[in-house]
């Protein structure tokens, strides 16, 4: 039982892809004796899986790395490692900035995490490896994944991105698109179902360009047929290649939820062009019309960026009009963050912080009133909820989600996590629905 009972504190930032990678790395580290702990002081290994999509994400990690310096001094055997997108982007720079780090492992080397940790256990030395950004995780990894939660889980279907939106760092830190084989994906879904998961979300930066020997629509339809998958979701879809076949598949699907996260990013053609999104506002509106005609009750969510270089008051007003016209169920709104190495970082007419913040607030106010109105329309309706469990603050209150991915709070009867139940909506708020008796 060599080296058993070691503790791993795993901290994950960023998107669902990072969550999935963290669970995979936790599985690999479990094989060499590390069990997860919440207690940082008890940890033998602290691994931070990082994001660099916006400067704020990186600032958080730098703060965290700094705070662990004192702990390293107290516990010289503590291993402190950085993985993920910021590790990929910064590489050895991280070690220069924080010499108390033991290792920096890029996104292409996550399958090597256990080997790297073992080598550091044997001989204390620094490891920096950001090679093979275009590699795929070892297919074997998936079988040992330590999945968090108990109801809903992620299954990556592809890695990387080829789109090079001019603001975005992801293609640089995640490499080119490559797809997993359908058999591998189906096997992972079956395993997750066998572990008790009811809801599967298929993940990729742009799932519609899946190319593992079948189309994404065919893959989705295949997963829909796997026994035990009670709800099926996917993200993210790029508007440029969301196909008619996919819309039809969602409409006909049994377990495929009526929700599409379809990031538009902006509502003016001038800015969309500069962002290299390769669709126009009119294209997007046509797509929304097609989706809504084919899938009744579909919920649409989006991502929006304000403060992109060159954004004028007129562009911004167009965007407000655009979101009023579409009526998204919800939107994630971001302030443009300059990422060095991306084209937009060198574009002229960068927007000042005060303007960015003012526009963000205005955008959020408009969208919030739309979200509230959409949710209010559900008052009195009975919706199907997948029960997630007791709320953190009150164990008589349970939480779950509708098929449209809206959060529902309701009074707990004898439901259990993983049950599909019908809840009557008594009251709607901007971000959630409250169920009645
Ligand atoms: N592949 C997905 C997710 C990318 S990252 C997609 O294309 O939608 C998630 C979101 O972060 C993006 O949709 C975008 O809205 C936002 N984002 C990316 N780069 C950004 C930047 N430099 N500044 C602000 N927001 C950014
Ligand atoms: Fe970034 Fe665009 Fe790729 Fe999404 S599609 S990850 S926003 S480059
Ligand atoms: Fe995800 Fe952030 Fe990387 S959004 S892909 S973790 S840069």
């Amino acid at each position: 039982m060599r080296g058993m009972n070691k503790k791993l504190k795993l901290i994950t930032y960023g998107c669902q892809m990072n969550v999935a990678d963290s669970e995979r790395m936790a599985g690999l580290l479990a094989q060499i004796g590390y069990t997860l702990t919440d207690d940082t002081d008890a940890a033998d290994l602290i691994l931070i899986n990082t994001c660099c999509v916006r400067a704020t994400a990186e600032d958080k990690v730098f703060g965290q790395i700094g705070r662990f310096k004192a702990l390293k001094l107290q516990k010289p055997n503590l291993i402190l490692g950085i993985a993920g997108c910021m590790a990929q982007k910064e590489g050895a720079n991280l070690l220069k900035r924080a010499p108390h780090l033991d290792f920096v492992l890029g996104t292409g080397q996550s399958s090597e995490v256990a080997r790297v940790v073992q080598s550091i256990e044997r001989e204390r030395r620094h490891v920096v490896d950001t090679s093979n950004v275009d590699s795929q995780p070892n297919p074997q990894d998936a079988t040992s994944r330590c999945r968090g939660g108990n109801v809903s889980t992620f299954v990556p279907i592809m890695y990387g991105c080829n789109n090079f939106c001019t603001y975005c760092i992801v293609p640089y830190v995640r490499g080119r698109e490559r797809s997993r084989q359908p058999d591998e994906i189906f096997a992972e879904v079956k395993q997750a179902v066998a572990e008790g998961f009811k809801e599967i979300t298929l993940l990729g930066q742009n799932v519609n360009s899946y190319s593992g020997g079948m189309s994404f629509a065919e893959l989705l339809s295949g997963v829909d047929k796997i026994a035990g998958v009670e709800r099926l979701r996917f993200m993210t879809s790029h508007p440029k290649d969301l196909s008619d076949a996919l819309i039809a598949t969602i409409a006909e699907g049994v377990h495929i939820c009526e929700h599409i996260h379809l990031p538009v990013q902006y509502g003016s053609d001038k800015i969309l062009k500069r962002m290299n999104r390769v669709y126009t506002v009119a294209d997007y509106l046509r797509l929304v019309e097609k989706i809504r005609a084919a899938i009744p009750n579909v919920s649409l969510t989006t991502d929006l960026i304000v403060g992109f270089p060159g954004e004028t008051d007129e562009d911004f007003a167009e965007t407000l009009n655009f979101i009023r016209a579409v009526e998204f169920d919800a939107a994630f709104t971001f302030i443009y963050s300059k990422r060095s190495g991306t084209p937009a970082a060198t574009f002229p007419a960068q927007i000042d912080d005060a303007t960015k913040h003012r526009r963000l607030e205005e955008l959020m106010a408009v969208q919030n009133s739309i979200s509230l109105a959409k949710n209010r329309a559900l008052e009195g309706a009975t919706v199907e909820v997948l029960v997630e469990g007791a709320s953190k603050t009150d164990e008589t209150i349970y939480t779950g989600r509708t098929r449209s991915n809206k959060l529902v709070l309701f009074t707990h009867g004898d439901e259990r996590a993983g049950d599909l139940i019908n809840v009557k909506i008594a009251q709607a708020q901007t971000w959630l629905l409250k169920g009645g008796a």
Side-chain angles (χ1 to χ4, degrees):
M1 300 291 279
R2 167 179 59 94
M4 282 307 191
N5 275 328
K6 293 173 291 188
K7 298 287 180 211
L8 163 65
K9 168 78 181 179
L10 182 55
I11 302 166
T12 305
Y13 293 101
C15 63
Q16 292 84 352
M17 194 60 88
N18 260 20
V19 172
D21 283 347
S22 280
E23 292 175 353
R24 194 164 48 76
M25 288 191 286
L28 295 172
L29 291 167
Q31 292 175 354
I32 60 162
Y34 285 91
T35 50
L36 286 164
T37 179
D38 286 332
D39 180 3
T40 308
D41 292 329
D44 302 290
L45 166 62
I46 300 177
L47 178 58
I48 312 178
N49 194 10
T50 59
C51 173
C52 60
V53 78
R54 284 170 287 276
T56 45
E58 289 190 314
D59 294 343
K60 277 188 212 149
V61 173
F62 279 124
Q64 191 115 52
I65 295 172
R67 282 193 295 280
F68 290 140
K69 193 170 177 178
L71 198 61
K72 276 283 287 192
L73 287 172
Q74 281 169 29
K75 285 176 72 174
N77 285 333
L78 172 67
I79 300 175
L80 180 56
I82 306 293
C85 295
M86 192 178 163
Q88 184 65 42
K89 174 168 165 274
E90 295 296 324
N93 288 335
L94 284 174
L95 214 56
K96 277 196 210 118
R97 203 165 150 171
H100 60 290
L101 287 175
D102 292 285
F103 68 92
V104 177
L105 204 58
T107 56
Q109 290 297 313
S110 52
S111 288
E112 298 300 316
V113 69
R115 189 187 54 75
V116 167
V117 167
Q118 276 181 317
S119 82
I120 296 172
E121 286 173 336
R122 272 197 310 272
E123 39 169 333
R124 298 301 294 210
R125 63 189 180 96
H126 293 301
V127 177
V128 177
D129 192 345
T130 55
S131 61
N132 297 325
V133 68
D134 293 318
S135 69
Q136 287 206 38
N138 184 342
Q140 287 300 320
D141 292 5
T143 56
S144 62
R145 248 177 82 178
C146 287
R147 294 175 192 277
N150 50 2
V151 174
S152 181
T153 193
F154 301 118
V155 174
I157 62 163
M158 57 194 294
Y159 306 97
C161 182
N162 289 352
N163 291 320
F164 290 95
C165 304
T166 55
Y167 49 82
C168 186
I169 194 83
V170 171
Y172 306 89
V173 293
R174 288 280 179 173
R176 294 295 65 71
E177 274 175 9
R178 57 268 183 213
S179 297
R180 291 177 76 188
Q181 288 304 304
D183 289 352
E184 212 183 301
I185 296 166
F186 295 145
E188 188 172 337
V189 171
K190 284 178 190 158
Q191 189 183 340
V193 168
E195 287 172 27
F197 290 93
K198 310 284 182 199
E199 180 175 85
I200 303 290
T201 303
L202 303 181
L203 286 186
Q205 298 300 344
N206 177 16
V207 290
N208 304 294
S209 55
Y210 176 78
S211 62
M214 57 171 72
S215 69
F216 177 62
E218 289 164 329
L219 182 79
L220 191 65
S221 171
V223 176
D224 190 28
K225 294 188 180 72
I226 294 177
V229 175
E230 294 192 9
R231 278 189 176 179
L232 178 55
R233 302 184 184 280
F234 56 93
M235 67 188 309
T236 302
S237 298
H238 193 303
K240 78 177 160 65
D241 34 32
L242 193 138
S243 67
D244 292 353
L246 179 60
I247 296 173
T249 301
I250 301 167
E252 291 156 13
V254 180
H255 308 283
I256 307 172
C257 292
E258 297 78 17
H259 168 225
I260 305 182
H261 184 59
L262 194 63
V264 67
Q265 311 299 356
Y266 209 68
S268 100
D269 286 342
K270 180 190 100 185
I271 299 286
L272 283 174
K273 188 150 197 265
R274 291 188 194 178
M275 286 177 159
N276 191 32
R277 290 293 291 183
V278 304
Y279 51 81
T280 63
V281 167
D283 293 335
Y284 191 94
L285 290 172
R286 262 195 302 275
L287 182 58
V288 167
E289 227 171 85
K290 209 157 58 171
I291 292 169
R292 285 186 169 149
I295 313 166
N297 295 325
V298 69
S299 96
L300 287 178
T301 56
T302 202
D303 292 347
L304 291 155
I305 298 175
V306 294
F308 187 77
E311 178 191 59
T312 61
D313 285 336
E314 290 71 36
D315 296 319
F316 183 62
E318 261 187 69
T319 294
L320 292 181
N321 285 338
F322 171 81
I323 65 166
R324 286 190 189 103
V326 178
E327 298 189 330
F328 290 106
D329 289 80
F332 298 93
T333 49
F334 306 107
I335 285 181
Y336 168 70
S337 175
K338 198 168 161 178
R339 306 283 67 207
S340 64
T342 64
T346 60
F347 285 2
Q350 299 281 331
I351 308 297
D352 65 90
D353 279 352
T355 307
K356 283 178 176 170
H357 282 99
R358 181 168 47 73
R359 286 179 181 157
L360 180 74
E361 302 232 320
E362 209 176 325
L363 182 68
M364 284 169 71
V366 171
Q367 179 54 45
N368 285 350
S369 68
I370 295 167
S371 299
L372 182 60
K374 287 238 148 190
N375 285 349
R376 285 229 167 107
L378 290 170
E379 284 178 351
T382 297
V383 292
E384 185 199 87
V385 171
L386 176 61
V387 180
E388 282 167 4
S391 89
K392 287 194 187 82
T393 47
D394 180 349
E395 51 180 59
T396 64
I397 303 289
Y398 259 43
T399 66
R401 284 188 184 263
T402 64
R403 284 177 71 103
S404 57
N405 208 31
K406 294 181 195 253
L407 182 65
V408 182
L409 303 188
F410 57 96
T411 324
H412 173 36
D414 53 3
E415 299 80 16
R416 286 180 317 183
D419 287 353
L420 280 173
I421 61 165
N422 287 321
V423 175
K424 189 169 178 199
I425 300 305
Q427 197 211 335
Q429 298 178 359
T430 306
W431 293 103
L432 58 87
L433 303 167
K434 286 186 172 169

